[in-house]
Amino acid sequence: MRLVIQPDYENLARWTASYIARKIELFKPTAEKPFVLGLPTGSSPLGVYNELISLYKLGKVSFKHVVTFNMDEYVGLAPDHPQSYHFFMWENLFSHVDIKRENVNILNGMAEDIKAECQRYEDKIAAMGGIDLFLGGIGIDGHIAFNEPGSSLTGRTRDKELNLDTRIANSRFFGNDIDRVPRLALTVGVGTIMDAREVLIIVNGHNKARALQHVVEGAISQMWTASAIQMHQRAMVVCDEAATYELKVGTFKHFLDIEKENLDVASIWKSKLTW
Ligand code: GLP
């Protein structure tokens, strides 16, 4: 696993957006061979999406031949509900770039047959040839997508009951009223994420420090589902310094040292990003 430590969230966002843009550029996507990108919601990716929009406006990235698959969606929220992940994605990224509507894939939380919807999603990912890069965030309990503690580390797209921690954390988007936070979500599984050719997780802020420690230094565990990325051949965590407070000094120094040539944004645009 790579750990790229940035001084603050602003630098984390700029670095991650440049990395994604450069990946797309190097891939040279076409209509026949699009770049397939997995995407998260939440506050962690917001700065990354803002930076991607800026790079698009500067002509440094195009989403014309990018196909996206979002990680998850609440069950029971219509796409026009302000807290639905459909709404979030169009509001914070898709409406501002040149992505084609038909290339956007988000689980339908209103589907009558939830199981069929999840299977359809898995089949579509497979039909696109798999995901080239899966971007993700993590919850304070180390969950990835909506794979709450105790989720199978080989799970596929399915419905998941949200736990209390997540519903409390996400109640900030629902007027701080936990009863308004849906109890059920559709989510890609850890296995779905692990099948991506590359996984990039962003972790920022002091409140994620314990989760980051488990993901980087802890044992692989269903109780910290993002820790499964230790088993991925091309997994990278991009974090800010605030999130590193629970890491050993030695771990922190080791990753800063081995990544020292790669930490500035300019290095990304010069690199072929092969690792
Ligand atoms: C939700 C999402 C996750 C996200 C997590 C953290 O539970 N399903 O994909 O990573 O929240 O969100 P935030 O980035 O807002 O801390």
Side-chain angles (χ1 to χ4, degrees):
M1 180 199 296
R2 288 180 63 184
L3 179 65
V4 173
I5 303 168
Q6 291 291 334
D8 51 30
Y9 181 65
E10 202 185 321
N11 281 283
L12 173 159
R14 206 174 304 135
W15 195 95
T16 306
S18 293
Y19 186 89
I20 296 167
R22 178 74 172 146
K23 272 278 176 190
I24 295 171
E25 179 183 64
L26 291 167
F27 189 91
K28 300 188 177 65
T30 61
E32 294 71 39
K33 189 172 150 275
F35 187 85
V36 184
L37 180 63
L39 292 173
T41 53
S43 42
S44 311
L46 272 179
V48 179
Y49 294 162
N50 279 335
E51 287 292 333
L52 280 172
I53 294 165
S54 302
L55 290 171
Y56 164 71
K57 288 184 177 155
L58 289 168
K60 296 192 109 178
V61 67
S62 166
F63 293 83
K64 201 168 156 206
H65 299 308
V66 174
V67 170
T68 61
F69 284 91
N70 260 83
M71 288 190 143
D72 43 19
E73 178 58 289
Y74 290 113
V75 167
L77 297 194
D80 60 353
H81 188 292
Q83 295 314 329
S84 76
Y85 288 169
H86 276 80
F87 192 93
F88 176 100
M89 288 309 299
W90 284 99
E91 180 95 335
N92 293 302
L93 179 63
F94 298 149
S95 306
H96 308 281
V97 296
D98 60 346
I99 196 156
K100 294 182 181 148
R101 189 165 276 271
E102 63 270 26
N103 285 348
V104 170
N105 296 281
I106 307 179
L107 283 152
N108 177 9
M110 300 295 282
E112 266 183 37
D113 186 341
I114 280 174
K115 300 253 179 291
E117 169 61 6
C118 293
Q119 190 56 52
R120 180 195 67 78
Y121 209 64
E122 285 279 337
D123 293 346
K124 183 114 189 252
I125 293 173
M128 292 309 304
I131 290 175
D132 291 301
L133 173 64
F134 221 134
L135 179 70
I138 60 172
I140 47 175
D141 56 5
H143 74 246
I144 186 160
F146 270 132
N147 295 283
E148 300 282 34
S151 296
S152 160
L153 299 184
T154 56
R156 312 303 306 187
T157 305
R158 69 215 178 293
D159 52 310
K160 279 301 284 186
E161 198 83 40
L162 303 185
N163 73 7
L164 192 57
D165 276 351
T166 299
R167 293 182 59 236
I168 291 171
N170 291 2
S171 65
R172 69 190 193 275
F173 301 116
F174 292 84
N176 290 317
D177 180 357
I178 188 175
D179 292 328
R180 285 171 52 205
V181 184
R183 289 178 174 275
L184 207 60
L186 304 184
T187 179
V188 296
V190 176
T192 319
I193 297 165
M194 293 291 284
D195 281 353
R197 283 182 270 285
E198 189 172 344
V199 179
L200 193 168
I201 306 295
I202 42 181
V203 185
N204 64 287
H206 281 279
N207 65 338
K208 300 282 174 74
R210 210 156 86 87
L212 184 69
Q213 192 274 331
H214 279 273
V215 170
V216 176
E217 296 177 338
I220 296 167
S221 162
Q222 62 170 356
M223 298 316 286
W224 300 87
T225 55
S227 64
I229 66 166
Q230 291 177 20
M231 292 292 288
H232 197 284
Q233 290 194 359
R234 283 168 74 91
M236 169 159 58
V237 174
V238 186
C239 69
D240 64 358
E241 269 188 35
T244 65
Y245 269 59
E246 298 287 337
L247 294 182
K248 288 183 194 145
V249 174
T251 306
F252 177 82
K253 288 192 168 173
H254 166 71
F255 283 108
L256 270 187
D257 181 45
I258 61 171
E259 293 289 351
K260 61 176 178 291
E261 311 289 325
N262 311 319
L263 295 176
D264 71 296
V265 168
S267 71
I268 294 173
W269 293 99
K270 285 183 220 136
S271 166
K272 292 273 174 257
L273 303 186
T274 47
W275 55 283

